[in-house]
Amino acid sequence: METVRTISDMKLLRQRLAEPVGFVPTMGFLHEGHLSLIRRARSENRHVIVSIFVNPTQFGPEEDFDSYPRDTERDLTLLKQEKADVVFMPEPEKIYPPGACTWVEVEGLTEMLEGISRPGHFRGVATVVTKLFNIIEPTYAYFGQKDAQQARVIRKMAEDLFMNLEIIVCPTIREPDGLAMSSRNFYLKGKERKAALILYKSLQLAQSLWNRGERHAGKIRGEIVSLIESEPLARIGYVSVADTETLQEIEEEIEYEALLSMAVKVGKPRLLDSIVLSGSA
Ligand code: AMP
């Protein structure tokens, strides 16, 4: 496995790699969720490149950029075990050199859900992913459904900008008790870990309402809100039942399918989870 730290070395190395090249962008502190993307990339490509880059521009001024968990040594051991070919770990000053003033804005899709409480977040995500795509030129790039809005935004960006690659979205990996794996679960202390299960319980409730034939978005949203409110350690950011393509909130009957997504603060971390409600009961 090669560890590459500069953009010029990464571009040079890329020229030597045979197609297809799979790329998994991460912010490190790797867990089974990340590893599932890497395994999928491994199974579909000649070469696999993983980036570890805690992207400063996607964090708001009050967010946890400085304290975001990092453990590069452990990450590199895991990546070796997964047989990644290349790890790209650029310095922030190289990705955003002085004077860089070009940003990628995906309109509409970024203005709801996470976009409301995290202004500028998706501008940071779209910009860094574009830069990484331009440096690495992957054939396939792998993202998690865990961050459902992010996956939708990246797919739309790649389509709108005629990017020469395919975006693959992979299922959410969970702890044995259902909590979606996330680097930020590390912040959960004491009773918060159990309280965080309220997100998974909400998804289960939504799925069972759907299976029983409930199609009214407002009814489903209301039931989920009541359930989360019954957990004293949980604070709702939003609970959304939205169109899977436009992410517009659905107010009445769901016609075909819907994305149920939520952000819930439990102690320090703001946790995200989601499920697509689809198919007939
Ligand atoms: P991050 O390091 O948080 O930026 O995540 C890097 C990639 O891993 C993103 O595409 C995430 O959506 C994905 N990811 C994070 N957690 C999970 C999970 N539990 N299951 C599947 N993919 C995940």
Side-chain angles (χ1 to χ4, degrees):
M1 186 174 79
E2 294 202 45
T3 303
V4 178
R5 292 177 191 272
T6 71
I7 293 168
S8 51
D9 283 351
M10 186 63 243
K11 286 188 169 187
L12 268 178
L13 173 56
R14 174 64 180 91
Q15 288 172 6
R16 288 202 268 114
L17 302 180
E19 306 291 328
V21 170
F23 173 46
V24 183
T26 82
M27 298 207 298
F29 210 65
L30 302 178
H31 52 66
E32 282 293 318
H34 298 113
L35 301 186
S36 74
L37 307 188
I38 294 163
R39 285 174 199 144
R40 173 89 182 262
R42 184 70 279 166
S43 73
E44 295 178 351
N45 294 278
R46 288 278 291 279
H47 294 102
V48 173
I49 304 177
V50 179
S51 63
I52 299 178
F53 182 66
V54 184
N55 175 34
T57 65
Q58 70 188 68
F59 289 77
E62 306 298 315
E63 293 182 17
D64 58 345
F65 174 70
D66 289 329
S67 63
Y68 191 84
R70 293 160 166 93
D71 189 344
T72 308
E73 227 169 89
R74 181 173 168 275
D75 288 348
L76 293 176
T77 306
L78 289 170
L79 291 174
K80 250 180 233 157
Q81 280 167 11
E82 297 301 332
K83 302 196 171 20
D85 299 290
V86 182
V87 189
F88 181 48
M89 297 198 298
E91 294 298 327
E93 304 72 41
K94 294 291 181 321
I95 295 291
Y96 300 102
C101 55
T102 302
W103 299 94
V104 181
E105 285 273 8
V106 180
E107 294 178 351
L109 288 176
T110 59
E111 284 152 26
M112 55 275 274
L113 308 175
E114 288 300 286
I116 295 172
S117 57
R118 306 186 72 190
H121 169 70
F122 287 115
R123 179 173 106 136
V125 171
T127 301
V128 78
V129 169
T130 300
K131 288 178 185 247
L132 291 169
F133 283 177
N134 284 339
I135 296 163
I136 288 171
E137 298 188 46
T139 323
Y140 300 102
Y142 297 80
F143 292 84
Q145 175 65 20
K146 155 84 175 34
D147 301 289
Q149 186 177 14
Q150 170 175 281
R152 182 71 197 101
V153 167
I154 299 292
R155 208 191 261 290
K156 188 74 171 78
M157 174 188 84
E159 189 187 310
D160 286 354
L161 296 181
F162 310 109
M163 289 179 169
N164 198 14
L165 81 173
E166 199 176 316
I167 305 295
I168 315 272
V169 180
C170 305
T172 302
I173 303 299
R174 300 178 178 282
E175 300 285 356
D177 63 4
L179 179 68
M181 291 197 179
S182 163
S183 305
R184 288 192 171 102
N185 291 348
F186 165 81
Y187 294 127
L188 292 168
K189 299 289 173 251
K191 290 185 178 148
E192 293 162 5
R193 173 63 183 77
K194 199 153 169 236
L197 284 181
I198 200 68
L199 285 94
Y200 183 57
K201 286 182 192 155
S202 302
L203 303 187
Q204 287 180 309
L205 172 60
Q207 186 67 62
S208 77
L209 289 167
W210 179 267
N211 292 348
R212 279 186 263 139
E214 182 59 72
R215 292 293 179 271
H216 195 276
K219 180 87 194 323
I220 296 174
R221 202 182 297 118
E223 296 259 355
I224 303 301
V225 167
S226 307
L227 178 65
I228 300 173
E229 284 177 348
S230 73
E231 169 49 65
L233 296 182
R235 293 278 171 277
I236 296 178
Y238 58 81
V239 173
S240 158
V241 180
D243 185 278
T244 52
E245 290 287 304
T246 64
L247 305 184
Q248 291 287 345
E249 212 55 29
I250 302 172
E251 297 304 337
E252 304 197 339
E253 295 289 309
I254 300 165
E255 268 178 39
Y256 171 58
E257 62 173 20
L259 174 70
L260 170 81
S261 64
M262 60 191 70
V264 179
K265 210 163 184 304
V266 182
K268 180 175 153 107
R270 192 162 163 282
L271 304 174
L272 305 186
D273 213 336
S274 62
I275 187 177
V276 175
L277 300 170
S278 71
S280 52

